[in-house]
Amino acid sequence: MATIKITGGKRLMGSVRVDGAKNAVLPIMAASLLAAQGETIIDDVPYLTDILNLADVVRSLGAKAELTPDGRLRLGAERLITTTAPYELVRKMRASFWVAGPLLARLGHFRVPLPGGCNIGERPVDQHIKGFEALGARVNIEHGYVEGFVDGRLRGNRVYLDVVSVGATINTMMAATLAEGQTIIENAAKEPEIVDVANYLNAMGAKVRGAGTDVIRIEGVSELHGAMHTVIPDRIEAGTYMLAAAITRGDVFVEGAIYNHLSPLCAKLREAGVTIEDDIRGIRVRVDGPLQAVDVKTLPHPGFPTDLQAQMLTFLATVKGVSIITETLFENRFLHVAELRRMGVEVKVEGRSAIVDGGTPLTGAKVNATDLRAGAALVLAGLVAEGETIVTGLDHIDRGYSDIVSKLRTLGADISRTDARPPLHLVKAN
């Protein structure tokens, strides 16, 4: 069984570079299915199991997908052979459902299993379906599959999302690029990754305006083509290394971190007493003095990101005083609490809130990652725990962090991994 072993107590120092954003690469990969001609090239793509799995999904549809060791992903979807995505691939990750919108828009049909992914709470696809139906599709759910049809082209329409949903915003936006007429998506999600997907779609020949606001307007076109695109830096990976610096009371420059993408985290760290310096190349995080407890509430962007909640809780466990973390987006996103308690974290969960009584020294233990961000939180706890921490469940961590062990080791952490991830060219060949 693969494990990460950490001996805590090292103050992190130095510089670490952030990879491209997983949550932008995945929908961009799906959007490449819209291109009836030409090759797509995506640069700064991290080596993650989620990306390798979605590459398998698009290959199963007849597209070409090759990720090279230097982080370049080549995609070609000129000759798709099916509009049905296989269950054995889709069940591994929720992002697979993003192929539905492009398949529906380009070929008039999709059949995709209800998606899997991290067990952090209900994430229904009803808003995706609402968007497709507003554009003129007929959608059925039978035997664990979602199937959509349209006769001819989709038709532009006004779509109001009942809840702010990143997934539904992106899927509806992608489908609308080939719809006849104008589509307006209201109550759209505003994450930076949505802006990046819109920029890629426009490079393909789409006409998308307003991404990053709560109203997105799309003027449909008849055809899209492949394009070149460099994805934005991963703000969640950046935030994780920023919190690693704060937890170890270190001094770390996070190269590639974009302040505007991380302003809620920066604000909370400053409130706690951490020094944050914005630079054109990234963000420097250091701790020079005493820290204080703060309260945090997760919200849709531009609020505090739910994907940094577990890591923030771990940081606050090292700060003397009582902090309250309220999770508003997912009902099961405190699964990491039980494992952190094994390391001495004093935390009590009441409904959607976790009450952290910080300042008690942490101790090393054998712990298991229950989901992607919980895994990151346990690694961060191990950086400051007395003695040795063994983290299992690395399949979760590998979904979102391409090389967390070597990056932390470069910063001075005493950390190692019992298995070496195989070279990329041995894992996936086109």
Side-chain angles (χ1 to χ4, degrees):
M1 178 173 57
T3 63
I4 291 175
K5 182 173 71 174
I6 312 158
T7 301
K10 301 289 187 180
R11 185 173 185 243
L12 299 190
M13 307 284 289
S15 177
V16 61
R17 183 183 180 276
V18 176
D19 290 323
K22 178 194 84 158
N23 290 334
V25 175
L26 293 172
I28 287 172
M29 291 174 69
S32 71
L33 298 174
L34 291 162
Q37 59 180 340
E39 182 183 55
T40 283
I41 298 176
I42 310 170
D43 283 324
D44 207 10
V45 175
Y47 171 28
L48 303 172
T49 53
D50 270 8
I51 288 169
L52 300 178
N53 287 335
L54 190 57
D56 282 342
V57 173
V58 300
R59 285 192 197 100
S60 75
L61 301 171
K64 298 178 180 178
E66 179 186 4
L67 178 59
T68 61
D70 61 353
R72 171 165 281 192
L73 179 61
R74 293 180 177 273
L75 297 154
E78 293 180 342
R79 295 178 180 85
L80 299 181
I81 59 175
T82 181
T83 55
T84 298
Y87 167 77
E88 62 272 14
L89 297 178
V90 174
R91 69 178 179 84
K92 297 179 182 179
M93 56 181 303
R94 182 171 181 79
S96 302
F97 197 72
W98 272 324
V99 304
L103 290 174
L104 179 65
R106 181 177 163 193
L107 299 176
H109 176 258
F110 73 86
R111 187 170 183 265
V112 179
L114 287 166
C118 279
N119 184 28
I120 60 174
E122 282 295 315
R123 292 184 287 176
V125 296
D126 60 309
Q127 296 303 299
H128 301 245
I129 294 171
K130 180 179 182 179
F132 298 154
E133 290 179 335
L135 298 178
R138 306 184 308 280
V139 183
N140 302 315
I141 302 178
E142 291 182 337
H143 308 297
Y145 278 80
V146 184
E147 189 167 16
F149 308 84
V150 65
D151 298 322
R153 290 176 65 184
L154 293 169
R155 298 183 302 277
N157 200 354
R158 187 179 293 269
V159 181
Y160 179 85
L161 300 178
D162 298 320
V163 296
V164 178
S165 166
V166 172
T169 298
I170 289 176
N171 232 341
T172 305
M173 180 172 69
M174 291 190 295
T177 59
L178 293 179
E180 187 175 0
Q182 185 183 75
T183 297
I184 300 174
I185 305 174
E186 298 176 301
N187 200 31
K190 297 179 281 190
E191 273 70 7
E193 294 80 11
I194 292 173
V195 178
D196 207 38
V197 175
N199 288 339
Y200 168 69
L201 290 170
N202 287 338
M204 297 175 74
K207 297 179 180 179
V208 181
R209 295 183 294 119
T213 75
D214 60 0
V215 179
I216 300 176
R217 291 175 168 83
I218 306 105
E219 189 70 39
V221 298
S222 60
E223 188 175 83
L224 295 174
H225 53 76
M228 294 190 66
H229 184 76
T230 300
V231 294
I232 58 173
D234 194 310
R235 62 192 171 100
I236 305 303
E237 185 192 16
T240 300
Y241 293 123
M242 291 169 66
L243 284 162
I247 284 171
T248 63
R249 310 306 190 253
D251 185 347
V252 174
F253 182 76
V254 184
E255 182 184 348
I258 298 175
Y259 185 90
N260 287 345
H261 293 178
L262 289 156
S263 54
L265 174 63
C266 292
K268 283 299 173 181
L269 287 177
R270 282 199 175 109
E271 187 179 336
V274 178
T275 300
I276 303 292
E277 297 178 5
D278 182 20
D279 182 276
I280 192 171
R281 299 178 299 111
I283 298 173
R284 182 184 178 189
V285 180
R286 72 177 192 273
V287 177
D288 300 319
L291 300 177
Q292 63 182 17
V294 297
D295 295 338
V296 175
K297 177 185 286 188
T298 65
L299 290 166
H301 190 80
F304 193 94
T306 183
D307 280 350
L308 287 174
Q309 177 257 105
Q311 302 93 306
M312 187 69 177
L313 189 154
T314 305
F315 164 65
L316 292 172
T318 70
V319 178
K320 188 174 181 179
V322 176
S323 300
I324 299 175
I325 298 181
T326 302
E327 172 61 56
T328 70
L329 301 180
F330 296 112
E331 66 273 16
N332 291 339
R333 203 142 205 189
F334 287 127
L335 297 177
H336 49 281
V337 164
E339 297 299 293
L340 288 171
R341 285 193 185 117
R342 293 170 50 79
M343 302 180 69
V345 173
E346 295 189 10
V347 55
K348 179 172 63 174
V349 176
E350 294 185 355
R352 290 271 181 128
S353 295
I355 303 167
V356 184
D357 191 356
T360 301
L362 306 188
T363 56
K366 187 172 183 178
V367 290
N368 182 61
T370 55
D371 61 71
L372 168 55
R373 306 308 172 183
L378 294 173
V379 170
L380 297 192
L383 296 175
V384 292
E386 180 182 348
E388 185 176 271
T389 297
I390 303 293
V391 182
T392 61
L394 303 193
D395 53 323
H396 291 296
I397 295 174
D398 290 341
R399 290 185 50 233
Y401 297 91
S402 63
D403 207 357
I404 192 170
V405 169
S406 67
K407 288 185 178 184
L408 289 173
R409 190 187 300 123
T410 298
L411 297 174
D414 186 346
I415 184 171
S416 61
R417 181 169 171 150
T418 58
D419 71 322
R421 297 186 73 190
L424 180 60
H425 70 278
L426 296 181
V427 178
K428 299 289 173 185
N430 193 34

